[in-house]
Amino acid sequence: MKISVVGTGYVGLVTGVALSHIGHVVTCIDIDEAKVERMRKGISPIFEPGLDELMIKNIAEGRLFFTTNHRDGFAQADVIYIAVGTPENEDGSANLTFIDQVARDIAENISKDIIVVTKSTVPVGTNYYIRDIIEKQLKVDLQVDIVSNPEFLREGSSVHDTFHGDRIVIGADSDDAAKVIEEINTPFGVPVYRTDVRSAEMIKYASNAFLATKISFINEISNICEKVGADIESVSQGMGLDKRIGSLFLKAGIGYGGSCFPKDTKALTQIAANHDHNFELLKSVIEVNKHQQSMLVHKALERFGTLRGKNIAVLGLAFKPNTDDMREAASIVIIRQLIDLGATVKAFDPIAINNAKKHLPDNVEMTNNIEKALKDSDCAIIVTEWKEIKELNLEQYARLMKTPVIFDGRNCYELERVKEYDMEYYSIGRRPIVTIKQLESV
Ligand SMILES: NC(=O)c1ccc[n+]([C@@H]2O[C@H](COP(=O)([O-])OP(=O)(O)OC[C@H]3O[C@@H](n4cnc5c(N)ncnc54)[C@H](O)[C@@H]3O)[C@@H](O)[C@H]2O)c1
Ligand SMILES: O=c1ccn([C@@H]2O[C@H](COP(=O)(O)OP(=O)(O)O[C@H]3O[C@H](CO)[C@@H](O)[C@H](O)[C@H]3O)[C@@H](O)[C@H]2O)c(=O)[nH]1
């Protein structure tokens, strides 16, 4: 099948590369010329494990192309995938400017019947809106079918997720169009779930909202655990053994970030509000997440009294490990608060520094060397559970830091292990460990 993918971000590029890998001829279109130039050479503009290798292979085998020209990109296409961004408006609703533009680009540049597949996360009804724009703008009589095919990949494991997903959701009115999309995806061997267009659009928001709810729920439980002396790791494990609950997404921490949960939860409350429904539960999930992000700063304040003049090592900047994505990362909130409180921040991240520079104040020193970040610091705040942090020899904290006081927002270390080292260790939903008596007065 000949396929065009519009938008080469995390979703579009991975989708385009994966579709070419299973044998389709794919042209990826993006308006960003510099990005397209790099991709033509087989260089991925995003950090995603396994992606460069697949790009290089499929370009070499003549199945994967890149262009900035919509007319060229659509010329051969039987199917067009839309994968442009749907960021949030100031009121939290989804901004459909890019979607709108792509619909117009399609209408202006196609010359044969087409199936338009929307991968972007869009409010319920948007696929019909896309079809309306295309049909209104078309200058020739062509058939346009729409299919909602929301994406569930996670950043950092997106290539793996595409080949090993739990389901592919296909929402369509036209049986024929749905069958074409099902056939395109057959080589992935992932189960297909067929439904109507609006339900497919809703499945995406409901899934993200549910996962975000699970996270805020377990974070609230962790806060209570600290007060009653229970251990959140045991509690999560014990809960997760119940198949009705499931063990995944019960990891307490400093809240969810990233390009999806924050914006999609807000967008769903807006979708509900537009239909006179007050989605109170989801609003609380969002509020809990906001508080959770500040949790470690509160703990540090409680511990030190003031953070003015303190040198603080922030370990991990990306919103999760194995990605360079800084969108809505908890590190941004935490670092801003630390600076407002008068602290000096030295931050470590192995991958995300370039992106982090766009989000953080200039006076934040950044390094991809964890030892440099820790050197002479008064305390360390662990924000992202990078391998480099989890595998750090715990001796290093006492060796490098002025005072080895650690606030771990991702429960990276077993408490029994921490006890063997000189440190003062505060984590999430677990009892504090203080092994150095003299630190209590610092
Ligand atoms: N990032 C994820 O993990 C993820 C997962 C599932 C779903 N989604 C959804 O997928 C969509 C895309 O997300 P993303 O993170 O890949 O976005 P992104 O911002 O990383 O990439 C979007 C790309 O689209 C390009 N673009 C914009 N307008 C264009 C146009 N008219 N023609 C061609 N290219 C154009 C931009 O230059 C950019 O490269 C969003 O709706 C998002 O909610 C994202
Ligand atoms: O038990 C958990 C699981 C995740 N998180 C946090 O939640 C955020 C999101 O993590 P994750 O879901 O792994 O990453 P994303 O790449 O944002 O993927 C989510 O958002 C995508 C965009 O819509 C969807 O496609 C995916 O299915 C959905 O998991 C991160 O800050 C994680 O640290 C936790 O705090 N505890």
Side-chain angles (χ1 to χ4, degrees), residues 332-379:
I332 302 171
V333 176
I334 291 169
I335 289 175
R336 291 217 175 111
Q337 287 175 349
L338 293 175
I339 286 172
D340 285 350
L341 289 163
T344 302
V345 173
K346 225 187 247 178
F348 158 79
D349 195 284
I351 299 287
I353 289 178
N354 273 346
N355 283 341
K357 284 182 186 147
K358 298 172 211 151
H359 294 267
L360 293 171
D362 292 339
N363 56 355
V364 176
E365 206 180 311
M366 291 182 231
T367 169
N368 57 12
N369 180 321
I370 194 165
E371 299 194 0
K372 272 194 192 154
L374 287 171
K375 187 101 183 83
D376 298 328
S377 57
D378 295 295
C379 74

CSV table of all heavy atoms in Angstrom, one decimal, residues 332-379:
chain,number,residue,atom,x,y,z
A,332,ILE,N,10.6,20.8,35.4
A,332,ILE,CA,10.5,22.2,35.1
A,332,ILE,C,9.8,22.9,36.3
A,332,ILE,O,10.3,24.0,36.8
A,332,ILE,CB,9.6,22.4,33.8
A,332,ILE,CG1,10.3,21.7,32.6
A,332,ILE,CG2,9.4,23.9,33.5
A,332,ILE,CD1,9.4,21.7,31.4
A,333,VAL,N,8.8,22.3,36.8
A,333,VAL,CA,8.1,22.9,38.0
A,333,VAL,C,9.0,22.9,39.2
A,333,VAL,O,9.1,23.9,39.9
A,333,VAL,CB,6.8,22.0,38.3
A,333,VAL,CG1,6.1,22.5,39.5
A,333,VAL,CG2,5.9,21.9,37.1
A,334,ILE,N,9.7,21.8,39.4
A,334,ILE,CA,10.5,21.7,40.6
A,334,ILE,C,11.7,22.7,40.6
A,334,ILE,O,11.9,23.4,41.6
A,334,ILE,CB,11.0,20.2,40.7
A,334,ILE,CG1,9.9,19.3,41.1
A,334,ILE,CG2,12.1,20.1,41.8
A,334,ILE,CD1,10.2,17.8,41.0
A,335,ILE,N,12.3,22.8,39.4
A,335,ILE,CA,13.5,23.7,39.3
A,335,ILE,C,13.1,25.1,39.5
A,335,ILE,O,13.7,25.9,40.2
A,335,ILE,CB,14.3,23.4,38.0
A,335,ILE,CG1,15.0,22.0,38.1
A,335,ILE,CG2,15.3,24.5,37.7
A,335,ILE,CD1,15.7,21.6,36.9
A,336,ARG,N,12.0,25.5,38.9
A,336,ARG,CA,11.5,26.9,39.0
A,336,ARG,C,11.2,27.2,40.5
A,336,ARG,O,11.6,28.3,41.0
A,336,ARG,CB,10.2,27.1,38.2
A,336,ARG,CG,10.5,27.1,36.7
A,336,ARG,CD,9.7,28.1,35.9
A,336,ARG,NE,10.1,28.1,34.5
A,336,ARG,CZ,9.4,27.6,33.5
A,336,ARG,NH1,8.1,27.2,33.8
A,336,ARG,NH2,9.8,27.6,32.3
A,337,GLN,N,10.6,26.2,41.2
A,337,GLN,CA,10.3,26.5,42.6
A,337,GLN,C,11.6,26.6,43.4
A,337,GLN,O,11.7,27.5,44.3
A,337,GLN,CB,9.4,25.3,43.2
A,337,GLN,CG,8.0,25.4,42.7
A,337,GLN,CD,7.2,24.2,43.1
A,337,GLN,OE1,7.7,23.2,43.7
A,337,GLN,NE2,5.9,24.2,42.9
A,338,LEU,N,12.5,25.8,43.1
A,338,LEU,CA,13.8,25.8,43.9
A,338,LEU,C,14.5,27.2,43.7
A,338,LEU,O,15.0,27.8,44.6
A,338,LEU,CB,14.7,24.7,43.4
A,338,LEU,CG,14.3,23.3,43.7
A,338,LEU,CD1,15.2,22.2,43.1
A,338,LEU,CD2,14.2,23.0,45.3
A,339,ILE,N,14.5,27.6,42.4
A,339,ILE,CA,15.1,28.9,42.1
A,339,ILE,C,14.4,30.1,42.8
A,339,ILE,O,15.0,31.0,43.4
A,339,ILE,CB,15.3,29.1,40.6
A,339,ILE,CG1,16.4,28.2,40.2
A,339,ILE,CG2,15.6,30.5,40.2
A,339,ILE,CD1,16.6,28.0,38.7
A,340,ASP,N,13.1,30.0,42.8
A,340,ASP,CA,12.3,31.1,43.4
A,340,ASP,C,12.6,31.1,44.9
A,340,ASP,O,12.5,32.1,45.6
A,340,ASP,CB,10.8,30.8,43.2
A,340,ASP,CG,10.3,31.2,41.8
A,340,ASP,OD1,11.2,31.8,41.1
A,340,ASP,OD2,9.2,30.8,41.4
A,341,LEU,N,12.9,29.9,45.5
A,341,LEU,CA,13.2,29.8,46.9
A,341,LEU,C,14.6,30.2,47.2
A,341,LEU,O,15.1,30.0,48.4
A,341,LEU,CB,12.8,28.4,47.4
A,341,LEU,CG,11.3,28.1,47.5
A,341,LEU,CD1,11.1,26.6,47.6
A,341,LEU,CD2,10.7,28.8,48.6
A,342,GLY,N,15.4,30.6,46.2
A,342,GLY,CA,16.8,31.1,46.5
A,342,GLY,C,17.8,30.0,46.3
A,342,GLY,O,19.0,30.3,46.7
A,343,ALA,N,17.5,28.8,45.8
A,343,ALA,CA,18.5,27.8,45.7
A,343,ALA,C,19.3,27.9,44.4
A,343,ALA,O,18.8,28.6,43.5
A,343,ALA,CB,17.9,26.4,45.8
A,344,THR,N,20.5,27.3,44.3
A,344,THR,CA,21.2,27.2,43.1
A,344,THR,C,21.1,25.7,42.6
A,344,THR,O,21.3,24.8,43.4
A,344,THR,CB,22.7,27.5,43.3
A,344,THR,OG1,22.8,28.8,43.9
A,344,THR,CG2,23.5,27.5,42.0
A,345,VAL,N,20.8,25.6,41.3
A,345,VAL,CA,20.5,24.2,40.8
A,345,VAL,C,21.5,23.8,39.8
A,345,VAL,O,21.9,24.5,38.9
A,345,VAL,CB,19.1,24.2,40.1
A,345,VAL,CG1,18.9,22.8,39.4
A,345,VAL,CG2,18.0,24.5,41.2
A,346,LYS,N,22.0,22.6,40.0
A,346,LYS,CA,22.9,21.9,39.0
A,346,LYS,C,22.1,20.6,38.6
A,346,LYS,O,21.8,19.8,39.5
A,346,LYS,CB,24.2,21.5,39.6
A,346,LYS,CG,25.4,21.9,38.8
A,346,LYS,CD,26.7,21.3,39.4
A,346,LYS,CE,27.6,22.4,39.8
A,346,LYS,NZ,28.8,22.0,40.4
A,347,ALA,N,21.8,20.5,37.3
A,347,ALA,CA,20.9,19.4,36.9
A,347,ALA,C,21.7,18.4,36.1
A,347,ALA,O,22.5,18.8,35.2
A,347,ALA,CB,19.7,19.9,36.2
A,348,PHE,N,21.3,17.1,36.3
A,348,PHE,CA,21.9,16.0,35.5
A,348,PHE,C,20.8,15.4,34.6
A,348,PHE,O,19.7,15.2,35.0
A,348,PHE,CB,22.5,14.9,36.4
A,348,PHE,CG,22.6,13.6,35.7
A,348,PHE,CD1,23.6,13.3,34.8
A,348,PHE,CD2,21.6,12.6,35.9
A,348,PHE,CE1,23.7,12.1,34.2
A,348,PHE,CE2,21.7,11.4,35.2
A,348,PHE,CZ,22.7,11.1,34.4
A,349,ASP,N,21.1,15.2,33.3
A,349,ASP,CA,20.3,14.3,32.5
A,349,ASP,C,21.2,13.8,31.4
A,349,ASP,O,22.0,14.5,30.8
A,349,ASP,CB,19.1,15.1,31.9
A,349,ASP,CG,18.1,14.1,31.3
A,349,ASP,OD1,18.3,13.5,30.2
A,349,ASP,OD2,17.0,13.9,32.0
A,350,PRO,N,21.0,12.5,31.1
A,350,PRO,CA,21.9,11.9,30.1
A,350,PRO,C,21.6,12.3,28.6
A,350,PRO,O,22.4,12.2,27.7
A,350,PRO,CB,21.8,10.4,30.3
A,350,PRO,CG,20.5,10.2,31.0
A,350,PRO,CD,20.2,11.4,31.8
A,351,ILE,N,20.3,12.7,28.4
A,351,ILE,CA,19.9,12.9,27.0
A,351,ILE,C,19.2,14.2,26.7
A,351,ILE,O,19.2,14.7,25.7
A,351,ILE,CB,18.8,11.7,26.7
A,351,ILE,CG1,19.5,10.3,26.8
A,351,ILE,CG2,18.2,11.9,25.3
A,351,ILE,CD1,20.4,10.0,25.7
A,352,ALA,N,18.4,14.7,27.7
A,352,ALA,CA,17.5,15.8,27.5
A,352,ALA,C,18.0,17.2,27.6
A,352,ALA,O,17.2,18.1,27.5
A,352,ALA,CB,16.3,15.6,28.4
A,353,ILE,N,19.3,17.4,27.8
A,353,ILE,CA,19.8,18.7,28.1
A,353,ILE,C,19.5,19.7,27.0
A,353,ILE,O,19.0,20.8,27.3
A,353,ILE,CB,21.3,18.7,28.4
A,353,ILE,CG1,21.5,18.0,29.7
A,353,ILE,CG2,21.9,20.1,28.4
A,353,ILE,CD1,23.0,17.8,30.1
A,354,ASN,N,19.6,19.3,25.8
A,354,ASN,CA,19.4,20.3,24.7
A,354,ASN,C,17.9,20.8,24.7
A,354,ASN,O,17.6,22.0,24.6
A,354,ASN,CB,19.6,19.7,23.3
A,354,ASN,CG,21.1,19.9,22.9
A,354,ASN,OD1,21.8,20.7,23.6
A,354,ASN,ND2,21.6,19.1,22.0
A,355,ASN,N,17.0,19.9,24.9
A,355,ASN,CA,15.6,20.3,25.0
A,355,ASN,C,15.3,21.0,26.3
A,355,ASN,O,14.5,22.0,26.3
A,355,ASN,CB,14.7,19.0,24.9
A,355,ASN,CG,14.5,18.5,23.5
A,355,ASN,OD1,14.8,19.3,22.5
A,355,ASN,ND2,14.1,17.3,23.3
A,356,ALA,N,16.0,20.6,27.3
A,356,ALA,CA,15.8,21.3,28.6
A,356,ALA,C,16.1,22.7,28.6
A,356,ALA,O,15.5,23.6,29.2
A,356,ALA,CB,16.6,20.5,29.7
A,357,LYS,N,17.1,23.1,27.8
A,357,LYS,CA,17.5,24.5,27.7
A,357,LYS,C,16.4,25.4,27.3
A,357,LYS,O,16.3,26.6,27.7
A,357,LYS,CB,18.7,24.6,26.7
A,357,LYS,CG,20.0,24.1,27.3
A,357,LYS,CD,21.2,24.3,26.4
A,357,LYS,CE,22.4,23.7,26.9
A,357,LYS,NZ,23.3,23.1,25.9
A,358,LYS,N,15.5,24.9,26.5
A,358,LYS,CA,14.4,25.7,26.0
A,358,LYS,C,13.3,25.9,27.1
A,358,LYS,O,12.5,26.7,27.0
A,358,LYS,CB,13.7,25.0,24.8
A,358,LYS,CG,14.6,24.8,23.6
A,358,LYS,CD,13.8,23.9,22.6
A,358,LYS,CE,14.9,23.0,21.8
A,358,LYS,NZ,14.3,21.8,21.3
A,359,HIS,N,13.4,25.1,28.2
A,359,HIS,CA,12.3,25.1,29.2
A,359,HIS,C,12.8,25.7,30.5
A,359,HIS,O,12.0,26.0,31.4
A,359,HIS,CB,11.8,23.7,29.4
A,359,HIS,CG,11.1,23.1,28.3
A,359,HIS,ND1,9.7,23.2,28.1
A,359,HIS,CD2,11.5,22.4,27.2
A,359,HIS,CE1,9.4,22.6,27.0
A,359,HIS,NE2,10.4,22.1,26.4
A,360,LEU,N,14.1,25.8,30.7
A,360,LEU,CA,14.6,26.2,32.0
A,360,LEU,C,15.4,27.5,32.0
A,360,LEU,O,16.0,27.9,31.0
A,360,LEU,CB,15.5,25.1,32.5
A,360,LEU,CG,14.8,23.7,32.8
A,360,LEU,CD1,15.8,22.6,33.1
A,360,LEU,CD2,13.9,23.8,34.0
A,361,PRO,N,15.4,28.2,33.2
A,361,PRO,CA,16.1,29.5,33.2
A,361,PRO,C,17.6,29.3,32.9
A,361,PRO,O,18.2,28.2,33.2
A,361,PRO,CB,15.9,29.9,34.7
A,361,PRO,CG,14.9,29.0,35.3
A,361,PRO,CD,14.7,27.8,34.4
A,362,ASP,N,18.2,30.3,32.4
A,362,ASP,CA,19.6,30.3,32.0
A,362,ASP,C,20.6,30.0,33.2
A,362,ASP,O,21.7,29.4,32.9
A,362,ASP,CB,20.1,31.6,31.4
A,362,ASP,CG,19.4,31.9,30.1
A,362,ASP,OD1,18.9,30.9,29.5
A,362,ASP,OD2,19.3,33.0,29.6
A,363,ASN,N,20.2,30.3,34.4
A,363,ASN,CA,21.1,30.1,35.5
A,363,ASN,C,21.1,28.7,36.0
A,363,ASN,O,21.7,28.4,37.0
A,363,ASN,CB,20.8,31.1,36.6
A,363,ASN,CG,19.4,31.1,37.1
A,363,ASN,OD1,18.5,30.3,36.5
A,363,ASN,ND2,19.0,31.8,38.1
A,364,VAL,N,20.4,27.8,35.3
A,364,VAL,CA,20.5,26.4,35.8
A,364,VAL,C,21.6,25.7,35.0
A,364,VAL,O,21.6,25.7,33.8
A,364,VAL,CB,19.1,25.6,35.4
A,364,VAL,CG1,19.3,24.1,35.8
A,364,VAL,CG2,18.0,26.3,36.1
A,365,GLU,N,22.6,25.2,35.8
A,365,GLU,CA,23.7,24.6,35.1
A,365,GLU,C,23.3,23.1,34.8
A,365,GLU,O,22.7,22.5,35.7
A,365,GLU,CB,24.9,24.6,36.1
A,365,GLU,CG,26.2,24.5,35.5
A,365,GLU,CD,27.3,24.5,36.5
A,365,GLU,OE1,27.3,25.4,37.4
A,365,GLU,OE2,28.2,23.7,36.5
A,366,MET,N,23.6,22.7,33.6
A,366,MET,CA,23.2,21.3,33.3
A,366,MET,C,24.4,20.5,32.8
A,366,MET,O,25.3,21.0,32.2
A,366,MET,CB,22.2,21.4,32.1
A,366,MET,CG,20.9,22.0,32.5
A,366,MET,SD,19.8,22.0,31.2
A,366,MET,CE,19.2,23.7,31.2
A,367,THR,N,24.4,19.2,33.2
A,367,THR,CA,25.5,18.3,32.8
A,367,THR,C,25.0,16.9,32.6
A,367,THR,O,24.0,16.5,33.1
A,367,THR,CB,26.5,18.3,34.0
A,367,THR,OG1,27.5,17.2,33.7
A,367,THR,CG2,25.9,18.0,35.3
A,368,ASN,N,25.7,16.2,31.7
A,368,ASN,CA,25.3,14.8,31.5
A,368,ASN,C,26.2,13.9,32.3
A,368,ASN,O,26.3,12.7,32.1
A,368,ASN,CB,25.3,14.4,30.0
A,368,ASN,CG,26.6,14.6,29.4
A,368,ASN,OD1,27.6,14.9,30.0
A,368,ASN,ND2,26.7,14.6,28.0
A,369,ASN,N,26.9,14.5,33.3
A,369,ASN,CA,27.8,13.8,34.2
A,369,ASN,C,27.2,13.8,35.6
A,369,ASN,O,27.2,14.9,36.2
A,369,ASN,CB,29.2,14.4,34.1
A,369,ASN,CG,30.2,13.7,35.0
A,369,ASN,OD1,29.8,13.3,36.1
A,369,ASN,ND2,31.4,13.5,34.5
A,370,ILE,N,26.7,12.7,36.1
A,370,ILE,CA,26.0,12.7,37.4
A,370,ILE,C,26.9,13.1,38.5
A,370,ILE,O,26.5,13.8,39.4
A,370,ILE,CB,25.4,11.3,37.6
A,370,ILE,CG1,24.3,11.4,38.7
A,370,ILE,CG2,26.4,10.2,37.8
A,370,ILE,CD1,23.4,10.2,38.8
A,371,GLU,N,28.2,12.8,38.4
A,371,GLU,CA,29.1,13.1,39.5
A,371,GLU,C,29.3,14.6,39.6
A,371,GLU,O,29.3,15.2,40.7
A,371,GLU,CB,30.4,12.4,39.3
A,371,GLU,CG,30.3,10.9,39.3
A,371,GLU,CD,31.6,10.2,39.5
A,371,GLU,OE1,32.6,10.8,39.6
A,371,GLU,OE2,31.5,8.9,39.5
A,372,LYS,N,29.3,15.3,38.5
A,372,LYS,CA,29.5,16.8,38.4
A,372,LYS,C,28.3,17.4,39.1
A,372,LYS,O,28.4,18.4,39.8
A,372,LYS,CB,29.6,17.3,37.0
A,372,LYS,CG,31.0,17.3,36.5
A,372,LYS,CD,31.1,18.1,35.2
A,372,LYS,CE,32.5,17.8,34.6
A,372,LYS,NZ,32.4,18.1,33.2
A,373,ALA,N,27.1,16.9,38.8
A,373,ALA,CA,25.9,17.5,39.4
A,373,ALA,C,25.9,17.3,40.9
A,373,ALA,O,25.5,18.2,41.7
A,373,ALA,CB,24.7,16.8,38.8
A,374,LEU,N,26.4,16.2,41.4
A,374,LEU,CA,26.3,15.9,42.8
A,374,LEU,C,27.4,16.6,43.6
A,374,LEU,O,27.2,16.9,44.8
A,374,LEU,CB,26.5,14.4,43.1
A,374,LEU,CG,25.2,13.5,42.7
A,374,LEU,CD1,25.6,12.1,42.8
A,374,LEU,CD2,24.1,13.9,43.6
A,375,LYS,N,28.5,16.9,43.0
A,375,LYS,CA,29.7,17.5,43.7
A,375,LYS,C,29.3,18.7,44.5
A,375,LYS,O,28.8,19.7,44.1
A,375,LYS,CB,30.7,17.9,42.6
A,375,LYS,CG,32.1,18.3,43.2
A,375,LYS,CD,33.1,17.1,43.0
A,375,LYS,CE,34.4,17.4,43.6
A,375,LYS,NZ,34.5,17.2,45.1
A,376,ASP,N,29.7,18.6,45.8
A,376,ASP,CA,29.5,19.7,46.8
A,376,ASP,C,28.1,20.2,47.0
A,376,ASP,O,27.8,21.3,47.5
A,376,ASP,CB,30.4,20.9,46.4
A,376,ASP,CG,31.8,20.5,46.4
A,376,ASP,OD1,32.2,19.7,47.2
A,376,ASP,OD2,32.6,21.1,45.6
A,377,SER,N,27.1,19.4,46.6
A,377,SER,CA,25.7,19.8,46.8
A,377,SER,C,25.2,19.6,48.2
A,377,SER,O,25.7,18.7,48.9
A,377,SER,CB,24.8,19.1,45.8
A,377,SER,OG,24.9,17.7,45.9
A,378,ASP,N,24.2,20.4,48.6
A,378,ASP,CA,23.6,20.2,49.9
A,378,ASP,C,22.6,19.2,50.0
A,378,ASP,O,22.3,18.6,51.0
A,378,ASP,CB,23.0,21.6,50.4
A,378,ASP,CG,24.0,22.7,50.5
A,378,ASP,OD1,24.9,22.5,51.4
A,378,ASP,OD2,24.0,23.6,49.8
A,379,CYS,N,21.9,19.0,48.8
A,379,CYS,CA,21.0,17.9,48.7
A,379,CYS,C,20.7,17.5,47.3
A,379,CYS,O,21.1,18.3,46.4
A,379,CYS,CB,19.6,18.2,49.4
A,379,CYS,SG,18.6,19.3,48.6
